[in-house]
């Protein structure tokens, strides 16, 4: 359909600057990265990576950790998000603000927050040494990383859950309740299916963000091999550019595949953030 | 009875999550203001560490403010027109472009940074300037502006007004400036806040893109965490909070207001 208010000339002129910048500084560089990763003989580079135990471990560790974080975040955010949309009480909006405050904290700061909680002088260490006689320190392990990923995932997923829960049709739950369904049956048969698309979408985003999270790992992971750290080490310390590039391509493909799968399930674009 | 127990349990879990997110924030602010963290705040409070952070890292902090401002200007200039066109241009091609523009936020920043370096790393003047970081931030934040503007322009009321203005003889530029822009102002402001917040905190890309002369605030943070004592790292984190938390709060209130406005518009 011809749009009288937007002449063709203007259409091109307004879109072109953004497209040009995007092509020059993202699409072209990405193509170059893929080329670098092949290093002239693409099959061999990738085969070498996929048969190298250290890289494979790093990949699995990243995927499993991110999957666990996603599940934990979804479970926690679902409970809190539903609770906050369904009940009204004084101080509720303050509570929502506090839960979503860390939305834009960079990964390094999140890493530092974990050190504050579970580091050598952290709160958890102090409490456990006082009450259990044994100082619990886990900031610099996979458990610390788990805590960090949870920290930056919760605010995003809670917002998604609340947005979805607010648009739920309330009459359905009321109908179910009037037919005698208990709270668990309602959750299982009415609420969860209705929220499923939002949960899948935000879960995919949570997974994608965790897989690529570099800052948190950088602050915490002195000897944890998650994929972003492996890429960073290959690039800076070992100056192994082709491998770093190939691992980045794999990281990108894993992320993209998960987002695409989620979209196929839900039929809607996954909202990203940070 | 069951209802009440459930309510209490849910409230408890929500409060626990809140504590998990906020207690370390409070701890790091307190640590940044303590004379000695190991002895706790009872040993006294001081601005010593904050002053030292400013002395050691004011370049990084100012760089970040500059990068954030430059990113915002560029993203607004590129993203507002692009978002408008993408909303109006109902074609498969336009959907494709929107998809493409969104890829940089979906894929790991580390990959984008390596890609930029592999093409432009050799251009020393560019590589060693803040422009290199700004370019990365523009690519990363552009989708937020494009999407916000596209969503706002998809509102049929704006198109109706524009057609009215066109029938009265207003030129395209005039319609865009006096009809479209004023009507999507709050969405642009909300997206601008997101852009600046993201730019101020962006680390994944920036750590790879920075050089010793082009440190930004989060890069300095990583630096401080790695090499210095806990008080300085904490004080620096506190400075970061002072910069970012007001932005986040304004962001939340504008989002709230936009929601209310939209709800009113719909009825």
């Amino acid at each position: 359909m011809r749009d009288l208010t937007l002449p063709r000339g203007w259409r091109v002129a307004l879109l072109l600057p953004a497209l040009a910048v995007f092509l020059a500084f993202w699409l072209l560089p990405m193509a170059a990265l893929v080329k670098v990763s092949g290093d002239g003989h693409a099959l061999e580079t990738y085969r070498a990576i996929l048969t190298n135990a250290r890289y494979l471990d790093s990949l699995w560790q990243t995927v499993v950790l991110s999957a666990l974080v996603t599940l934990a975040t979804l479970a926690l955010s679902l409970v809190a998000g539903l609770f906050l949309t369904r009940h009204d009480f004084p101080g509720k909006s303050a509570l929502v603000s506090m839960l979503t405050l860390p939305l834009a904290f960079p990964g390094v700061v999140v890493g530092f927050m974990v050190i504050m909680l579970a580091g050598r002088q952290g709160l958890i260490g102090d409490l456990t040494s006082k009450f259990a006689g044994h100082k619990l320190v886990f900031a610099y392990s996979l458990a610390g990383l788990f805590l960090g990923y949870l920290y930056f995932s919760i605010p995003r997923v809670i917002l998604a859950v609340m947005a979805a829960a607010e648009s739920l049709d309330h009459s359905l739950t009321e109908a179910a309740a009037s037919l005698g369904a208990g709270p668990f049956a309602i959750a299982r048969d009415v609420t969860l299916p209705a929220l499923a698309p939002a949960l899948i979408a935000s879960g995919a985003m949570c997974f994608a963000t965790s897989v690529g999270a570099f800052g948190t790992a950088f602050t915490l992971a002195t000897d944890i091999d998650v994929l972003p750290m492996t890429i960073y080490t290959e690039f800076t310390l070992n100056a192994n550019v082709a491998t770093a590039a190939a691992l980045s391509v794999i990281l990108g493909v894993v992320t993209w595949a998960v987002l695409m799968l989620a979209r196929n399930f839900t039929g809607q674009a996954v909202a990203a953030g940070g | 009875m069951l209802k009440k127990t459930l309510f209490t349990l849910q409230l408890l879990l929500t409060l626990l999550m809140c504590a998990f997110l906020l207690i370390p924030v409070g701890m790091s602010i307190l640590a940044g203001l303590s004379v000695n963290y190991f002895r706790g705040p009872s040993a006294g409070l001081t601005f010593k560490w904050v002053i030292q952070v400013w002395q050691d890292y004011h370049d990084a902090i100012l760089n970040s403010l500059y990068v954030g401002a430059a990113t915002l200007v560029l993203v607004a200039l590129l993203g507002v027109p692009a978002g408008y066109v993408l909303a109006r241009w109902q074609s498969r091609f336009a959907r494709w472009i929107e998809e493409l523009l969104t890829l940089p936020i979906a894929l790991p920043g580390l990959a984008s940074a390596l890609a930029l370096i592999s093409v432009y790393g050799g251009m020393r003047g560019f590589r060693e300037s803040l422009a290199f970081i700004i370019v990365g931030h523009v690519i990363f934040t552009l989708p937020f502006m494009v999407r916000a503007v596209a969503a706002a322009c998809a509102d049929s009321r704006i198109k109706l007004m524009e057609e009215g203005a066109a029938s009265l003889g207003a030129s395209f530029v005039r319609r865009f400036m006096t009809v479209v822009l004023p009507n999507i102002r709050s969405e642009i402001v909300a997206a601008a806040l997101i852009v600046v917040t993201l730019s101020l905190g962006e680390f994944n890309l920036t750590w790879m893109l920075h050089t010793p002369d082009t440190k930004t605030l989060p890069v300095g943070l990583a630096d401080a965490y790695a090499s210095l004592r806990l008080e300085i790292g904490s004080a620096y984190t506190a400075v970061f909070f002072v910069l970012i938390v007001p932005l986040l709060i304004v962001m939340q209130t504008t989002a709230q207001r936009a929601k209310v406005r939209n709800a009113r518009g719909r009825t």
Side-chain angles (χ1 to χ4, degrees):
Chain A
M1 188 189 76
R2 223 165 87 80
D3 187 345
L4 290 175
T5 53
L6 183 59
R8 181 178 295 269
W10 278 111
R11 208 176 278 187
V12 176
L14 293 181
L15 197 54
L16 210 56
L19 261 188
V21 168
F22 178 77
L23 287 178
F25 297 111
W26 200 78
L27 210 54
L28 187 76
M30 269 298 165
L33 188 75
V34 173
K35 192 159 164 269
V36 169
S37 76
D39 200 18
H41 26 76
L43 276 177
E44 278 169 50
T45 322
Y46 280 93
R47 191 186 303 140
I49 285 177
L50 292 176
T51 49
N52 181 317
R54 194 166 74 81
Y55 299 143
L56 270 187
D57 277 355
S58 154
L59 181 62
W60 277 122
Q61 204 147 278
T62 313
V63 168
V64 171
L65 178 66
S66 303
L68 289 177
V69 167
T70 305
L71 290 178
T73 310
L74 283 177
L76 289 171
S77 306
L78 188 62
V79 175
L82 280 179
F83 173 72
L84 288 168
T85 32
R86 281 191 185 155
H87 299 283
D88 256 324
F89 49 87
K92 182 182 127 175
S93 65
L95 206 57
V96 175
S97 304
M98 284 191 267
L99 281 167
T100 50
L101 185 73
L103 201 61
F105 287 6
V108 270
V109 168
V110 172
F112 191 66
M113 297 294 109
V114 173
I115 293 177
M116 278 289 160
L117 281 176
R120 280 177 208 103
Q121 281 95 41
L123 184 68
I124 295 175
D126 284 351
L127 289 178
T128 47
S129 72
K130 196 175 277 174
F131 294 112
H134 167 73
K135 193 169 187 172
L136 191 61
V137 174
F138 59 90
Y140 314 97
S141 67
L142 275 176
L145 217 50
F146 177 85
L147 218 56
Y149 289 4
L150 202 61
Y151 192 101
F152 64 64
S153 303
I154 285 176
R156 288 158 217 227
V157 178
I158 266 199
L159 277 181
V161 170
M162 286 182 66
E166 261 160 28
S167 60
L168 272 189
D169 191 353
H170 228 30
S171 56
L172 286 178
T173 45
E174 275 162 23
S178 74
L179 292 171
F184 292 108
I186 293 179
R188 189 190 61 217
D189 299 330
V190 181
T191 315
L192 274 181
L195 288 179
L199 291 180
I200 293 174
S202 56
M205 202 54 231
C206 173
F207 181 84
T209 320
S210 303
V211 163
F214 172 58
T216 315
F218 186 78
T219 313
L220 296 177
T222 36
D223 47 20
I224 311 169
D225 276 333
V226 280
L227 205 50
M229 285 309 287
T230 313
I231 294 171
Y232 178 69
T233 321
E234 288 302 327
F235 184 74
T236 50
L237 296 182
N238 307 341
N240 196 345
V241 181
T243 307
L247 288 171
S248 306
V249 171
I250 293 174
L251 187 67
V253 169
V254 169
T255 315
W256 183 78
V258 168
L259 293 174
M260 278 300 132
L261 266 177
R263 167 185 294 203
N264 276 349
F265 270 117
T266 61
Q268 65 187 31
V270 171
Chain B
M1 185 60 206
L2 177 63
K3 243 186 169 162
K4 195 146 190 206
T5 326
L6 273 178
F7 179 88
T8 320
L9 281 177
Q10 283 174 307
L11 178 65
L12 226 61
L13 184 83
T14 310
L15 289 176
L16 212 69
M17 284 164 74
C18 235
F20 167 57
L21 296 177
L22 290 184
I23 282 176
V25 173
M27 283 174 73
S28 66
I29 292 174
L30 204 61
L33 298 176
S34 301
V35 174
N36 186 321
Y37 178 66
F38 306 107
R39 283 193 278 144
S42 55
L45 294 176
T46 175
F47 271 112
K48 186 171 86 180
W49 309 115
V50 176
I51 292 166
Q52 196 174 337
V53 163
W54 179 252
Q55 279 166 354
D56 294 350
Y57 292 103
H58 66 276
D59 280 347
I61 296 168
L62 292 177
N63 273 348
S64 253
L65 294 176
Y66 174 69
V67 168
T71 302
L72 174 58
V73 170
L74 286 170
V75 164
L77 286 176
L78 299 170
V80 174
Y84 170 74
V85 173
L86 289 176
R88 277 303 151 77
W89 191 0
Q90 299 297 333
S91 77
R92 190 182 287 262
F93 183 62
R95 296 289 81 76
W96 265 91
I97 293 177
E98 207 173 336
E99 287 284 311
L100 269 178
L101 288 176
T102 316
L103 273 178
I105 36 173
L107 295 181
L110 203 58
S112 299
L114 277 184
L116 267 175
I117 292 172
S118 64
V119 170
Y120 298 104
M123 298 182 184
R124 286 197 54 186
F126 180 39
R127 173 77 181 88
E128 286 168 8
S129 72
L130 279 176
F132 202 52
I133 295 176
I134 294 171
V135 160
H137 285 200
V138 167
I139 291 295
F140 174 62
T141 53
L142 187 61
F144 293 95
M145 183 61 85
V146 170
R147 273 193 186 170
V149 171
C153 289
D155 187 337
S156 58
R157 282 172 300 172
I158 292 179
K159 187 164 183 215
L160 215 62
M161 283 189 272
E162 229 195 311
E163 279 165 353
S167 72
L168 294 171
S171 69
F172 176 76
V173 177
R174 195 185 165 112
R175 292 196 309 263
F176 190 71
M177 302 306 270
T178 60
V179 177
V180 178
L181 286 185
N183 274 296
I184 60 170
R185 206 184 55 201
S186 62
E187 282 87 350
I188 294 178
V189 171
L193 283 166
I194 295 175
V195 168
V196 173
T197 333
L198 287 176
S199 169
L200 283 182
E202 215 301 320
F203 178 80
N204 294 1
L205 281 163
T206 321
W207 180 262
M208 300 300 286
L209 300 181
H210 90 279
T211 61
D213 291 331
T214 56
K215 277 193 181 132
T216 62
L217 190 144
V219 169
L221 274 169
D223 216 67
Y225 296 157
S227 54
L228 293 163
R229 45 186 301 176
L230 203 61
E231 285 88 347
I232 298 217
S234 302
Y236 197 168
T237 314
V239 170
F240 173 75
F241 287 146
V242 168
L243 281 170
I244 206 97
V245 169
L247 275 172
L248 285 171
I249 291 172
V250 177
M251 214 158 96
Q252 280 179 345
T253 46
T254 29
Q256 210 69 40
R257 223 179 296 140
K259 217 198 261 170
V260 171
R261 206 181 62 124
N262 281 343
R264 262 196 228 122
R266 237 178 273 138
T267 50

